[in-house]
Amino acid sequence: MPETSPRGLTRLAFGGDYNPEQWPESVWHEDVRLMREAGVTMVSLGIFSWALLEPSPGVYDFGWLDRIVDLLHENGIRVDLGTPTVCPPAWFYRAHPEALPVSREGVRYEFGSRAAICHSNADYRVAAATITTKLAERYADHPALALWHVHNEYGVPVSACYCDSCAAHFRCWLEATYGTVEAVNEAWGTAFWGQRYTGFDQINPPRATPTAVNPAQALDYKRFADATMRENFCRERDILHGLAPGVPVTTNFMTALSQCDSVDYWAWGREVDLVTNDHYLITDGRRTHVNLAMAADLTRSVAGGAPWLLLEHSTSGVNWQPRNPAKAPGQMARNSLAHVARGSDGAMFFQWRQSRRGAEKFHSAMLPHGGTDTRVWREVVELGASLDSLSTVRGTRTEADVAVLWDWHSWWAQNLEWRPSEDHDPRERADAFYEALYDRHLTVDFAHPEADLSRYPLVVVPALYLMTEAAGNNLKEYVENGGTLVVSYFSGIVDEHDAVHEGAYPGALRDVLGLTVEEFSPLLQGRSVRITGPDGSELAGDVWSEFVVPRGAETVWTYADGLTAGGPAVTRHHLGEGTAWYVSTRLGAEGLDALLGWALEDARVAPRADLPRDVEVVRRTGESGSYLFAINHTASDAKVPLDAHGTELLTGERAAGRLALPAGAVRVVRLDG
C-alpha cells in the first residue's frame, strides 16, 4: 500500500513549485544552494513540462529532468514529481484539435493558456496515460522521489466541456448511473415542459437554450463533469501505483469556497493517498485570515481529520486579482503556521524563483526578482527555521469543537437558474456562520450531511438546499441522541434530483425542526425585517423571510414587521435528548452570534471569552505530544491562558499560566505530560 505522507520526508514539508526549465542550467546550482540556505525540504517539479519531456510525438527527452532530480537529491531535497497532463503540448493539439474543450455556447477554446482539456477526449486520455507511464518507469526507484503530483488544480479554469465527445460520454454515464432512459425521465422530471426522452441517443449536455434548462439535467452534468475529471486522475494514479508501489499519489485541491466550485472534494478525498491543497488570500475586503482558517479546516475534513499538506500559497501578493496587495511583514509566516495549526504537515509555495516571463511574472515567490536582499527572502529563511523547529508536530491531528455541514452537490443545485432569490448565496451563509464560530474561538470540522456526527456537541447547517432523505434521518437521529442542531433558511428543500420533497417545506427537516414553512417570502434588494425576542430585544434580518408554522417547536424570536409580521423568525425544538434551532431569515454578525450563543448553551460548549478577537488558539495532538498554536492577527500584544506548562518551540522558552503573544506573532507550545 502507498504511504499517506511524502516518502522519506522526516520533517515538515517546506519549499514550492520549482520550474528549472525556465532558467539556464547555470542558475540551477545557485537555486539549490539557496534552497539549502532557506531550509527547503521538498519541491514540486515538472508540473508544466510535457512539451519539454515529449518535444514531438513519441520522442522523449528526460536528460534535463534527470540532472535536476539528481542535483536535488545530492542536496537532500525531496521531490514531488508532477505528471504534466494539465498542459498538453502544441503538437498534440495540432494533431487533435477536438481535445480542446467547448463552452456551453458552442465556442471551442484555443491553445495558449493552461488546462484547456476535454476530459472525455480519447486521444488526450491515451497521451496522458503514456507520458505518465514513461515518467513512472524512469523515476519510480529514484531515491529523491517523495510524492507523485498528478495534473494540477482539476476544475480550474475549465471543468465541463460540451462537445460531441462529452455528449456521448454523458450518455454512457447516465446509462451506468440510472440503467434505463425511463429512470432518467423520472429523476429529471421530464414530464415538465414536454422534455421526455425515449432513448439515450436523444440526450445532450445542457447546452445554451432559449430559457432555463432542466435543473436536474444541469445538476447531473455537473456531477458527470466532476466524475470525468476524477476518472482521468484515477487512471494516472493507478498507473503510478502499479509502477511505483509505495509512493503516495496526490493532486492539489482548491477547497476554499472562494476558489473552486466545480469539484466534489468529499469524493476526491477518498481517491488520493494524501490530501493536498492550494490556498490564496482573496483580497475582497474580508478578514483574509478567517477565509484561510476555513479553507484549512475544510481541507482537513476532506482528509477525514488526518494530516494534509498545503502544496501552494503565496509569499506575498498574487497577480490574478483586480488588486494584488503585498503581505504585511510577518504575515507570510502567520499564514503558513495557521495552516499547520489546522492540520497541514508543511507549508509549500508557488513558486521557488519568480518568473521573468509569462502570465504569472508578477506573482510573488520564495526567491523574488530582487534576490536575497529583500524582505520576502529574509522572511522565507526565517520561516524555514521555524518549521524545522516544529518537526515533531508532523503526524499529529487537529482537535475540533463543533461541525458545519457542507455538500458541493447542494451548492451546485442551489446555484442553478430560477431560485426564489438571487441574493441568497450559500457560500455567503457558510462564510458567515463559520466566521461567527471563529469569533467564539471554536475549531470547526466540516462534515458531509450523511456522516457520523455523534462526536460533535453542536452541528451547524448554514445552507443545504439539497438534502437526501438519508441526511434528514441522520440529523433527526443526531438530535434525538442528544445533539444540538442549528439550521438556516432554505435548507432541506429538495432531494438529490432537485425535486421538492413531498409535503410542506422544509421537506427532509420537518420532523427534526418541529415546523413547516407555508411559503417563502424573499425580501427585495435593500429591504430588511426586524425580529424581536421575548425580552424586547431586537435584531435585523435581510434577503429572506418565511411564513413558519410551529408543529412542536417553540417560537424564540418573532417577526416584528414585513409580510411575516407576528410569525416565528427563530424557533427551538426539543426532540429526544437534543435540541434543534431554526432561523428563517438572514441574520448579520450580531444575530448569528446571539443565535450561536443560545445553541452553545444547549450543547454545553463553554465559551472562550478570555481571548481577544482575531487571536486563534488551536490544538494538535498525537503520539509525539500535544501542541497549542496561538496566532495573533492583531496589532496589539495579547495573553493566552494555558491549562498546562510547556515549552514554546519557536523561542525555546518555558511557558506557564499565561503565554505572551506579541502583535502579529505565532507561538507553539508543546505541553508537558
Side-chain angles (χ1 to χ4, degrees), residues 25-39:
E25 289 198 29
S26 59
V27 176
W28 296 2
H29 288 273
E30 179 191 8
D31 278 334
V32 173
R33 178 182 64 79
L34 291 174
M35 286 179 190
R36 293 186 63 177
E37 181 179 325

Side-chain angles (χ1 to χ4, degrees), residues 17 21 26 28 38 161 170 184-185 215 239 241 310 317 391 422 430 517 526 621:
D17 283 37
E21 63 271 29
S26 59
W28 296 2
C161 170
F170 183 45
V184 174
N185 284 316
I239 291 169
H241 279 170
L310 176 65
S391 292
E422 66 178 17
V517 174
T621 303

Side-chain angles (χ1 to χ4, degrees), residues 13-189:
F14 178 57
D17 283 37
Y18 183 35
N19 299 289
E21 63 271 29
Q22 297 180 16
W23 305 93
E25 289 198 29
S26 59
V27 176
W28 296 2
H29 288 273
E30 179 191 8
D31 278 334
V32 173
R33 178 182 64 79
L34 291 174
M35 286 179 190
R36 293 186 63 177
E37 181 179 325
V40 166
T41 61
M42 186 169 77
V43 296
S44 301
L45 198 64
I47 296 167
F48 300 103
S49 302
W50 194 343
L52 293 177
L53 295 171
E54 190 178 4
S56 59
V59 177
Y60 300 95
D61 178 8
F62 293 106
W64 67 273
L65 187 57
D66 290 346
R67 293 191 294 278
I68 191 62
V69 172
D70 288 345
L71 180 61
L72 290 164
H73 175 61
E74 290 165 8
N75 285 272
I77 299 169
R78 310 293 294 159
V79 172
D80 166 34
L81 186 56
T83 68
T85 52
V86 68
C87 283
W91 60 256
F92 172 80
Y93 286 119
R94 185 66 179 266
H96 307 288
E98 68 283 356
L100 288 162
V102 174
S103 73
R104 188 170 178 245
E105 293 73 27
V107 175
R108 189 176 294 278
Y109 295 109
E110 288 289 343
F111 174 78
S113 180
R114 70 173 194 179
I117 296 166
C118 167
H119 282 275
S120 294
N121 182 265
D123 295 308
Y124 167 75
R125 290 182 169 205
V126 169
T130 301
I131 189 65
T132 298
T133 300
K134 295 293 184 181
L135 280 165
E137 289 173 342
R138 191 170 191 93
Y139 297 104
D141 297 321
H142 198 289
L145 181 62
L147 185 65
W148 289 111
H149 182 309
V150 170
H151 205 268
N152 185 73
E153 295 178 345
Y154 280 98
V156 178
V158 178
S159 59
C161 170
Y162 295 82
C163 72
D164 289 342
S165 293
C166 287
H169 192 187
F170 183 45
R171 295 176 196 123
C172 293
W173 182 86
L174 288 171
E175 188 166 10
T177 301
Y178 290 102
T180 65
V181 72
E182 288 78 12
V184 174
N185 284 316
E186 176 64 24
W188 290 3

Side-chain angles (χ1 to χ4, degrees), residues 384-544:
S386 295
L387 289 170
D388 188 57
S389 69
L390 299 180
S391 292
T392 56
V393 170
R394 184 174 175 270
T396 59
R397 293 187 171 222
T398 301
E399 299 177 357
D401 302 298
V402 299
V404 169
L405 299 193
W406 182 256
D407 181 24
W408 279 273
H409 292 231
S410 178
W411 194 17
W412 299 340
Q414 168 65 69
N415 286 340
L416 296 174
E417 300 167 291
W418 288 12
R419 298 313 187 220
S421 174
E422 66 178 17
D423 295 328
H424 170 49
D425 179 357
R427 179 200 153 192
E428 183 278 331
R429 281 294 79 188
D431 286 345
F433 272 91
Y434 182 90
E435 189 166 1
L437 293 165
Y438 178 96
D439 283 342
R440 285 182 170 267
H441 305 286
L442 297 171
T443 303
V444 172
D445 272 350
F446 286 83
H448 187 275
E450 296 180 17
D452 179 9
L453 305 171
S454 58
R455 67 184 179 278
Y456 302 108
L458 174 68
V459 170
V460 174
V461 180
L464 279 178
Y465 160 75
L466 182 154
M467 184 177 288
T468 64
E469 182 179 349
N473 291 335
N474 188 43
L475 294 184
K476 183 170 182 282
E477 182 180 350
Y478 165 76
V479 173
E480 287 175 335
N481 289 334
T484 300
L485 180 69
V486 175
V487 177
S488 188
Y489 64 89
F490 206 44
S491 293
I493 306 302
V494 299
D495 66 12
E496 60 269 33
H497 303 300
D498 197 49
V500 173
H501 286 285
E502 288 190 17
Y505 309 130
L509 292 169
R510 283 194 304 262
D511 293 342
V512 69
L513 296 176
L515 55 82
T516 56
V517 174
E518 289 190 348
E519 191 176 2
F520 308 131
S521 185
L523 304 177
L524 296 179
Q525 190 172 23
R527 300 289 179 86
S528 62
V529 290
R530 292 182 298 114
I531 63 175
T532 57
D535 59 355
S537 56
E538 187 172 293
L539 295 171
D542 63 5
V543 171
W544 195 272

Side-chain angles (χ1 to χ4, degrees), residues 513 515 552-556 570-574 579-582 598 602:
L513 296 176
L515 55 82
E554 61 177 301
T555 299
V556 180
V570 177
T571 62
R572 182 186 188 210
H573 185 218
H574 296 284
T579 306
W581 290 81
Y582 183 63
W598 304 324
D602 283 348

Side-chain angles (χ1 to χ4, degrees), residues 104 185 188-197 209-217 417-418:
R104 188 170 178 245
N185 284 316
W188 290 3
T190 56
F192 186 80
W193 280 359
Q195 296 172 0
R196 184 173 180 80
Y197 301 102
T209 55
T211 186
V213 74
N214 184 318
Q217 178 188 11
E417 300 167 291
W418 288 12

